[in-house]
Amino acid sequence: QKGGFDHFMLKEIYEQPQAIKNTLNGRVAKGEKIVLDKIADGDLKDISRVFIVACGTAYHAGLVGKTAIERLSGVPVDVDIASEFRYRNPILDKNTLVMVISQSGETADTLAALRLAKQHGCKTFAITNVVGSSVSREADFVFYTYAGPEIAVASTKAYITQLIALYIFALYMAQDRNYTDKETLENIKSELLLLPEKVKKALETDALTKEIAEKICVETDIFYLGRGLDYAVAMEGSLKLKEISYIHSEPYAGGELKHGPIALIEKGTVVIALNTNAELRGKMDSNIKEVVTRGARIVEILPDNFENAGEGCDELITVPATEAILAPVTAVVPLQLLSYHVAIAKGCNVDKPRNLAKSVTVE
Ligand code: F6R
């Protein structure tokens, strides 16, 4: 059942290259228009605003989706936690697309958000992994991620395929709008098709993350730092760590450090720093220096094409370089592995962490 792996979580992490292929299959091909199931040309042409609504890990995928959709298609996107969205009287109309993201398709708050959107006359779009799930039955449009069953409570392959789904959606919205030039879109498409191989390569960080995990598993607080999309990935890395290893962990945006969190940094504090974006690298390097000066130990995640990488950091994890916008897909892999190995080193029940359920069908 676990295919030779000790835990479902590790098996599912290793299934990611294939899961990504399944999500891309039949939807993305070089030089061809993106095809989405049961969406006709023009169905989404009047959409002037998108709300992405989800919980937990799916919400973190949505944060990446916001940047991808806005950058490529120019359509403004809000991202909301489902339990907040449904009680805050969001401004919705018929030109708003409400997109829910849910691995299980059964999360109570996400389903309620979808119903609320329908009451307001919005078009609705569901990204889900479970064929025939409640959200898939109720939304106007459905995008199945086809990641295969996810058994471990901590979501890994579902998250990565949600990212892929969101990139495909962003490209779909872009191709109808002439906001981004065709060459850039083709480039991103080609890079998307390379991601299964790049994620496979990123899995080679397994042994290194295990070594690092054995050193940091004694910590009681671990911080994640990133800017831009790296901040969204930092949130996911931090959630993964806390849910399965029970280590307190917080993600921060690099630029926010000075506004409070830096007070928490002391000699020996472990900071996982994500630094995948060339445009933000200078800023992020300064943030890393700020915490190093205060005694932090840095684990830095970088793409393998950055020169002079890792100054001042204790551990350096490199992942295959890709388009900046797609970097979350490769960067999250060592974070998943790190959480897994920390939890194992602490003797935790990785696949069934305490107090958590795979599908949260009550509010
Ligand atoms: C974290 C995790 C949860 C789920 C959340 C939403 O690893 O699994 O945060 O992502 O409960 O679940 P779905 O996607 O089924 O709506």
Side-chain angles (χ1 to χ4, degrees):
Q1 230 187 347
K2 292 182 193 149
F5 289 94
D6 290 341
H7 299 93
F8 282 110
M9 182 178 175
L10 192 60
K11 173 175 178 265
E12 289 161 5
I13 291 173
Y14 271 83
E15 281 171 349
Q16 293 182 119
Q18 184 58 49
I20 293 173
K21 274 188 204 164
N22 297 348
T23 311
L24 291 169
N25 192 22
R27 292 166 169 148
V28 184
K30 267 189 208 165
E32 283 175 36
K33 280 190 95 175
I34 302 279
V35 192
L36 294 184
D37 298 345
K38 303 203 173 85
I39 302 193
D41 260 1
D43 272 354
L44 301 182
K45 84 171 183 338
D46 295 331
I47 296 303
S48 56
R49 192 170 179 207
V50 176
F51 273 95
I52 300 180
V53 185
C55 301
T57 284
Y59 167 73
H60 296 156
L63 294 171
V64 175
K66 169 185 166 74
T67 299
I69 297 165
E70 289 186 342
R71 292 250 176 99
L72 300 182
S73 75
V75 176
V77 182
D78 284 290
V79 192
D80 256 320
I81 294 168
S83 56
E84 292 295 318
F85 176 86
R86 60 183 290 206
Y87 296 118
R88 75 171 176 87
N89 299 322
I91 297 165
L92 302 167
D93 64 25
K94 65 177 180 22
N95 293 332
T96 305
L97 179 75
V98 174
M99 171 190 278
V100 294
I101 309 175
S102 175
Q103 188 286 131
S104 62
E106 304 297 343
T107 299
D109 283 318
T110 308
L111 191 55
L114 171 63
R115 290 177 180 158
L116 180 75
K118 291 185 80 168
Q119 278 165 19
H120 282 79
C122 302
K123 284 195 170 143
T124 55
F125 188 106
I127 295 178
T128 181
N129 192 36
V130 178
V131 176
S133 57
S134 299
V135 302
S136 78
R137 282 185 273 111
E138 297 192 25
D140 298 322
F141 307 107
V142 184
F143 186 116
Y144 288 116
T145 46
Y146 299 124
E150 192 178 62
I151 310 292
V153 165
S155 183
T156 55
K157 65 176 180 173
Y159 170 78
I160 224 165
T161 55
Q162 285 160 0
L163 296 183
I164 303 298
L166 287 157
Y167 292 128
I168 296 174
F169 178 81
L171 287 167
Y172 178 85
M173 291 293 274
Q175 74 193 359
D176 282 343
R177 275 163 224 265
N178 294 326
Y179 182 78
T180 303
D181 61 274
K182 284 212 165 66
E183 196 187 326
T184 306
L185 296 179
E186 271 310 310
N187 234 342
I188 292 173
K189 238 190 253 177
S190 310
E191 274 296 319
L192 256 184
L193 292 165
L194 295 176
L195 286 178
E197 271 314 305
K198 292 192 175 182
V199 166
K200 206 167 169 187
K201 192 98 194 5
L203 289 168
E204 291 172 12
T205 59
D206 195 351
L208 176 59
T209 57
K210 183 166 187 273
E211 261 175 50
I212 299 171
E214 281 159 8
K215 291 182 207 160
I216 68 174
C217 64
V218 292
E219 300 299 320
T220 50
D221 302 283
I222 292 182
F223 298 99
Y224 287 72
L225 214 54
R227 281 176 174 258
L229 288 172
D230 284 340
Y231 176 43
V233 180
M235 288 187 197
E236 175 57 9
S238 171
L239 175 66
K240 216 89 303 176
L241 184 76
K242 60 169 85 80
E243 70 182 324
I244 60 170
S245 77
Y246 318 138
I247 294 178
H248 168 249
S249 161
E250 301 283 348
Y252 291 113
E256 273 295 288
L257 273 176
K258 285 190 180 66
H259 302 283
I262 201 156
L264 296 167
I265 306 294
E266 51 190 22
K267 194 169 181 318
T269 305
V270 173
V271 175
I272 319 269
L274 287 117
N275 203 354
T276 71
N277 187 315
E279 280 174 26
L280 298 172
R281 192 176 166 204
K283 298 282 173 201
M284 193 58 205
D285 285 346
S286 314
N287 294 139
I288 293 173
K289 270 201 197 107
E290 282 164 357
V291 290
V292 168
T293 310
R294 281 142 186 108
R297 285 149 63 200
I298 307 288
V299 179
E300 192 173 5
I301 319 267
L302 286 157
D304 58 11
N305 63 346
F306 277 10
E307 279 166 25
N308 307 321
E311 208 192 314
C313 72
D314 295 77
E315 309 278 357
L316 184 62
I317 303 178
T318 54
V319 291
T322 178
E323 279 288 324
I325 209 167
L326 306 179
V329 177
T330 48
V332 77
V333 174
L335 299 186
Q336 297 168 335
L337 288 165
L338 189 67
S339 304
Y340 172 79
H341 289 301
V342 169
I344 294 292
K346 290 190 67 181
C348 300
N349 186 348
V350 176
D351 284 338
K352 282 195 182 355
R354 69 186 182 204
N355 308 340
L356 295 175
K358 183 67 187 160
S359 182
V360 184
T361 52
V362 289
E363 217 184 301

PDB file of all heavy atoms in Angstrom, residues 55-58 101-105 107 110 153-155 162 239-240 243 358 360, ligand 1:
ATOM      1  N   CYS A  55      -8.993  26.785   2.484  1.00  0.00           N
ATOM      2  CA  CYS A  55      -8.500  26.659   3.861  1.00  0.00           C
ATOM      3  C   CYS A  55      -7.105  26.024   3.854  1.00  0.00           C
ATOM      4  O   CYS A  55      -6.794  25.206   2.985  1.00  0.00           O
ATOM      5  CB  CYS A  55      -9.397  25.727   4.675  1.00  0.00           C
ATOM      6  SG  CYS A  55     -11.101  26.255   4.769  1.00  0.00           S
ATOM      7  N   GLY A  56      -6.323  26.355   4.850  1.00  0.00           N
ATOM      8  CA  GLY A  56      -5.049  25.667   5.117  1.00  0.00           C
ATOM      9  C   GLY A  56      -4.103  25.695   3.930  1.00  0.00           C
ATOM     10  O   GLY A  56      -3.844  26.742   3.313  1.00  0.00           O
ATOM     11  N   THR A  57      -3.612  24.510   3.602  1.00  0.00           N
ATOM     12  CA  THR A  57      -2.660  24.379   2.504  1.00  0.00           C
ATOM     13  C   THR A  57      -3.242  24.872   1.184  1.00  0.00           C
ATOM     14  O   THR A  57      -2.548  25.503   0.377  1.00  0.00           O
ATOM     15  CB  THR A  57      -2.228  22.896   2.410  1.00  0.00           C
ATOM     16  OG1 THR A  57      -1.307  22.658   3.479  1.00  0.00           O
ATOM     17  CG2 THR A  57      -1.575  22.566   1.104  1.00  0.00           C
ATOM     18  N   ALA A  58      -4.510  24.614   0.951  1.00  0.00           N
ATOM     19  CA  ALA A  58      -5.149  25.048  -0.306  1.00  0.00           C
ATOM     20  C   ALA A  58      -5.169  26.577  -0.383  1.00  0.00           C
ATOM     21  O   ALA A  58      -5.020  27.160  -1.460  1.00  0.00           O
ATOM     22  CB  ALA A  58      -6.561  24.476  -0.401  1.00  0.00           C
ATOM     23  N   ILE A 101     -10.668  26.213  -3.760  1.00  0.00           N
ATOM     24  CA  ILE A 101      -9.641  25.171  -3.915  1.00  0.00           C
ATOM     25  C   ILE A 101      -9.799  24.223  -2.730  1.00  0.00           C
ATOM     26  O   ILE A 101      -9.785  24.665  -1.577  1.00  0.00           O
ATOM     27  CB  ILE A 101      -8.215  25.752  -3.911  1.00  0.00           C
ATOM     28  CG1 ILE A 101      -8.091  26.914  -4.908  1.00  0.00           C
ATOM     29  CG2 ILE A 101      -7.189  24.665  -4.223  1.00  0.00           C
ATOM     30  CD1 ILE A 101      -6.723  27.623  -4.875  1.00  0.00           C
ATOM     31  N   SER A 102      -9.968  22.943  -3.017  1.00  0.00           N
ATOM     32  CA  SER A 102     -10.138  21.978  -1.933  1.00  0.00           C
ATOM     33  C   SER A 102      -9.724  20.588  -2.403  1.00  0.00           C
ATOM     34  O   SER A 102     -10.335  20.051  -3.334  1.00  0.00           O
ATOM     35  CB  SER A 102     -11.605  21.963  -1.472  1.00  0.00           C
ATOM     36  OG  SER A 102     -11.795  20.964  -0.501  1.00  0.00           O
ATOM     37  N   GLN A 103      -8.699  20.050  -1.782  1.00  0.00           N
ATOM     38  CA  GLN A 103      -8.264  18.696  -2.126  1.00  0.00           C
ATOM     39  C   GLN A 103      -9.448  17.742  -2.038  1.00  0.00           C
ATOM     40  O   GLN A 103      -9.769  17.046  -2.986  1.00  0.00           O
ATOM     41  CB  GLN A 103      -7.142  18.263  -1.175  1.00  0.00           C
ATOM     42  CG  GLN A 103      -6.440  16.951  -1.494  1.00  0.00           C
ATOM     43  CD  GLN A 103      -7.235  15.694  -1.185  1.00  0.00           C
ATOM     44  OE1 GLN A 103      -7.329  14.808  -2.042  1.00  0.00           O
ATOM     45  NE2 GLN A 103      -7.817  15.604  -0.017  1.00  0.00           N
ATOM     46  N   SER A 104     -10.077  17.727  -0.856  1.00  0.00           N
ATOM     47  CA  SER A 104     -11.155  16.761  -0.609  1.00  0.00           C
ATOM     48  C   SER A 104     -12.440  17.138  -1.323  1.00  0.00           C
ATOM     49  O   SER A 104     -13.262  16.290  -1.645  1.00  0.00           O
ATOM     50  CB  SER A 104     -11.437  16.684   0.893  1.00  0.00           C
ATOM     51  OG  SER A 104     -11.878  17.964   1.360  1.00  0.00           O
ATOM     52  N   GLY A 105     -12.619  18.445  -1.502  1.00  0.00           N
ATOM     53  CA  GLY A 105     -13.881  18.924  -2.075  1.00  0.00           C
ATOM     54  C   GLY A 105     -15.030  18.881  -1.088  1.00  0.00           C
ATOM     55  O   GLY A 105     -16.201  19.064  -1.457  1.00  0.00           O
ATOM     56  N   THR A 107     -14.612  20.280   2.390  1.00  0.00           N
ATOM     57  CA  THR A 107     -14.365  21.153   3.541  1.00  0.00           C
ATOM     58  C   THR A 107     -15.562  22.082   3.768  1.00  0.00           C
ATOM     59  O   THR A 107     -15.991  22.794   2.850  1.00  0.00           O
ATOM     60  CB  THR A 107     -13.060  21.951   3.308  1.00  0.00           C
ATOM     61  OG1 THR A 107     -12.009  21.003   3.194  1.00  0.00           O
ATOM     62  CG2 THR A 107     -12.766  22.909   4.438  1.00  0.00           C
ATOM     63  N   THR A 110     -15.325  25.874   2.981  1.00  0.00           N
ATOM     64  CA  THR A 110     -15.085  26.124   1.547  1.00  0.00           C
ATOM     65  C   THR A 110     -16.380  25.909   0.765  1.00  0.00           C
ATOM     66  O   THR A 110     -16.739  26.688  -0.130  1.00  0.00           O
ATOM     67  CB  THR A 110     -13.962  25.186   1.047  1.00  0.00           C
ATOM     68  OG1 THR A 110     -12.843  25.336   1.920  1.00  0.00           O
ATOM     69  CG2 THR A 110     -13.552  25.518  -0.371  1.00  0.00           C
ATOM     70  N   VAL A 153      -2.386  12.978   6.241  1.00  0.00           N
ATOM     71  CA  VAL A 153      -3.148  14.180   6.602  1.00  0.00           C
ATOM     72  C   VAL A 153      -2.460  15.429   6.058  1.00  0.00           C
ATOM     73  O   VAL A 153      -3.103  16.340   5.528  1.00  0.00           O
ATOM     74  CB  VAL A 153      -3.356  14.249   8.138  1.00  0.00           C
ATOM     75  CG1 VAL A 153      -3.804  15.635   8.562  1.00  0.00           C
ATOM     76  CG2 VAL A 153      -4.385  13.203   8.572  1.00  0.00           C
ATOM     77  N   ALA A 154      -1.134  15.476   6.154  1.00  0.00           N
ATOM     78  CA  ALA A 154      -0.409  16.641   5.645  1.00  0.00           C
ATOM     79  C   ALA A 154      -0.400  16.599   4.120  1.00  0.00           C
ATOM     80  O   ALA A 154       0.038  15.634   3.507  1.00  0.00           O
ATOM     81  CB  ALA A 154       1.018  16.639   6.177  1.00  0.00           C
ATOM     82  N   SER A 155      -0.890  17.670   3.548  1.00  0.00           N
ATOM     83  CA  SER A 155      -1.053  17.703   2.094  1.00  0.00           C
ATOM     84  C   SER A 155       0.268  18.028   1.402  1.00  0.00           C
ATOM     85  O   SER A 155       0.957  18.986   1.770  1.00  0.00           O
ATOM     86  CB  SER A 155      -2.094  18.772   1.769  1.00  0.00           C
ATOM     87  OG  SER A 155      -2.337  18.801   0.398  1.00  0.00           O
ATOM     88  N   GLN A 162      -2.284  21.680  -7.047  1.00  0.00           N
ATOM     89  CA  GLN A 162      -3.120  22.899  -7.011  1.00  0.00           C
ATOM     90  C   GLN A 162      -2.347  24.063  -7.616  1.00  0.00           C
ATOM     91  O   GLN A 162      -2.903  24.887  -8.343  1.00  0.00           O
ATOM     92  CB  GLN A 162      -3.527  23.224  -5.559  1.00  0.00           C
ATOM     93  CG  GLN A 162      -4.611  22.292  -5.027  1.00  0.00           C
ATOM     94  CD  GLN A 162      -4.693  22.263  -3.505  1.00  0.00           C
ATOM     95  OE1 GLN A 162      -3.941  22.938  -2.804  1.00  0.00           O
ATOM     96  NE2 GLN A 162      -5.621  21.468  -2.984  1.00  0.00           N
ATOM     97  N   LEU A 239       3.519  25.725   7.997  1.00  0.00           N
ATOM     98  CA  LEU A 239       2.338  24.923   8.370  1.00  0.00           C
ATOM     99  C   LEU A 239       2.695  23.435   8.382  1.00  0.00           C
ATOM    100  O   LEU A 239       2.332  22.701   9.310  1.00  0.00           O
ATOM    101  CB  LEU A 239       1.185  25.180   7.387  1.00  0.00           C
ATOM    102  CG  LEU A 239      -0.070  24.319   7.597  1.00  0.00           C
ATOM    103  CD1 LEU A 239      -0.757  24.637   8.923  1.00  0.00           C
ATOM    104  CD2 LEU A 239      -1.062  24.491   6.462  1.00  0.00           C
ATOM    105  N   LYS A 240       3.420  23.005   7.342  1.00  0.00           N
ATOM    106  CA  LYS A 240       3.792  21.585   7.243  1.00  0.00           C
ATOM    107  C   LYS A 240       4.599  21.165   8.460  1.00  0.00           C
ATOM    108  O   LYS A 240       4.388  20.109   9.024  1.00  0.00           O
ATOM    109  CB  LYS A 240       4.596  21.394   5.960  1.00  0.00           C
ATOM    110  CG  LYS A 240       4.380  20.110   5.231  1.00  0.00           C
ATOM    111  CD  LYS A 240       3.261  20.126   4.212  1.00  0.00           C
ATOM    112  CE  LYS A 240       1.941  20.516   4.785  1.00  0.00           C
ATOM    113  NZ  LYS A 240       0.887  20.628   3.811  1.00  0.00           N
ATOM    114  N   GLU A 243       2.325  21.169  11.760  1.00  0.00           N
ATOM    115  CA  GLU A 243       1.261  20.164  11.867  1.00  0.00           C
ATOM    116  C   GLU A 243       1.787  18.764  12.106  1.00  0.00           C
ATOM    117  O   GLU A 243       1.136  17.974  12.780  1.00  0.00           O
ATOM    118  CB  GLU A 243       0.286  20.217  10.682  1.00  0.00           C
ATOM    119  CG  GLU A 243       0.837  19.755   9.363  1.00  0.00           C
ATOM    120  CD  GLU A 243      -0.161  19.870   8.224  1.00  0.00           C
ATOM    121  OE1 GLU A 243      -1.356  19.647   8.430  1.00  0.00           O
ATOM    122  OE2 GLU A 243       0.259  20.179   7.100  1.00  0.00           O
ATOM    123  N   LYS A 358      -8.202  14.479   8.014  1.00  0.00           N
ATOM    124  CA  LYS A 358      -7.899  14.697   6.593  1.00  0.00           C
ATOM    125  C   LYS A 358      -8.931  15.602   5.949  1.00  0.00           C
ATOM    126  O   LYS A 358      -8.609  16.414   5.094  1.00  0.00           O
ATOM    127  CB  LYS A 358      -7.826  13.345   5.865  1.00  0.00           C
ATOM    128  CG  LYS A 358      -7.444  13.448   4.389  1.00  0.00           C
ATOM    129  CD  LYS A 358      -6.007  13.940   4.213  1.00  0.00           C
ATOM    130  CE  LYS A 358      -5.635  14.228   2.782  1.00  0.00           C
ATOM    131  NZ  LYS A 358      -4.458  15.121   2.697  1.00  0.00           N
ATOM    132  N   VAL A 360     -12.112  18.209   6.774  1.00  0.00           N
ATOM    133  CA  VAL A 360     -12.756  18.955   7.854  1.00  0.00           C
ATOM    134  C   VAL A 360     -14.178  19.307   7.421  1.00  0.00           C
ATOM    135  O   VAL A 360     -14.424  20.355   6.825  1.00  0.00           O
ATOM    136  CB  VAL A 360     -11.941  20.216   8.212  1.00  0.00           C
ATOM    137  CG1 VAL A 360     -12.551  20.955   9.400  1.00  0.00           C
ATOM    138  CG2 VAL A 360     -10.488  19.837   8.540  1.00  0.00           C
TER     139      VAL A 360
HETATM  140  C1  F6R B   1      -2.460  20.786   5.653  1.00  0.00           C
HETATM  141  C2  F6R B   1      -3.779  20.334   5.286  1.00  0.00           C
HETATM  142  C3  F6R B   1      -4.956  21.223   5.570  1.00  0.00           C
HETATM  143  C4  F6R B   1      -5.900  21.224   4.364  1.00  0.00           C
HETATM  144  C5  F6R B   1      -7.181  21.995   4.671  1.00  0.00           C
HETATM  145  C6  F6R B   1      -8.084  22.085   3.468  1.00  0.00           C
HETATM  146  O1  F6R B   1      -1.479  19.900   5.258  1.00  0.00           O
HETATM  147  O2  F6R B   1      -3.919  19.268   4.754  1.00  0.00           O
HETATM  148  O3  F6R B   1      -4.557  22.517   5.895  1.00  0.00           O
HETATM  149  O4  F6R B   1      -5.226  21.788   3.290  1.00  0.00           O
HETATM  150  O5  F6R B   1      -7.859  21.364   5.723  1.00  0.00           O
HETATM  151  O6  F6R B   1      -8.469  20.832   3.017  1.00  0.00           O
HETATM  152  P1  F6R B   1      -9.132  20.653   1.597  1.00  0.00           P
HETATM  153  O7  F6R B   1      -8.091  20.998   0.581  1.00  0.00           O
HETATM  154  O8  F6R B   1      -9.522  19.208   1.516  1.00  0.00           O
HETATM  155  O9  F6R B   1     -10.292  21.592   1.514  1.00  0.00           O
END
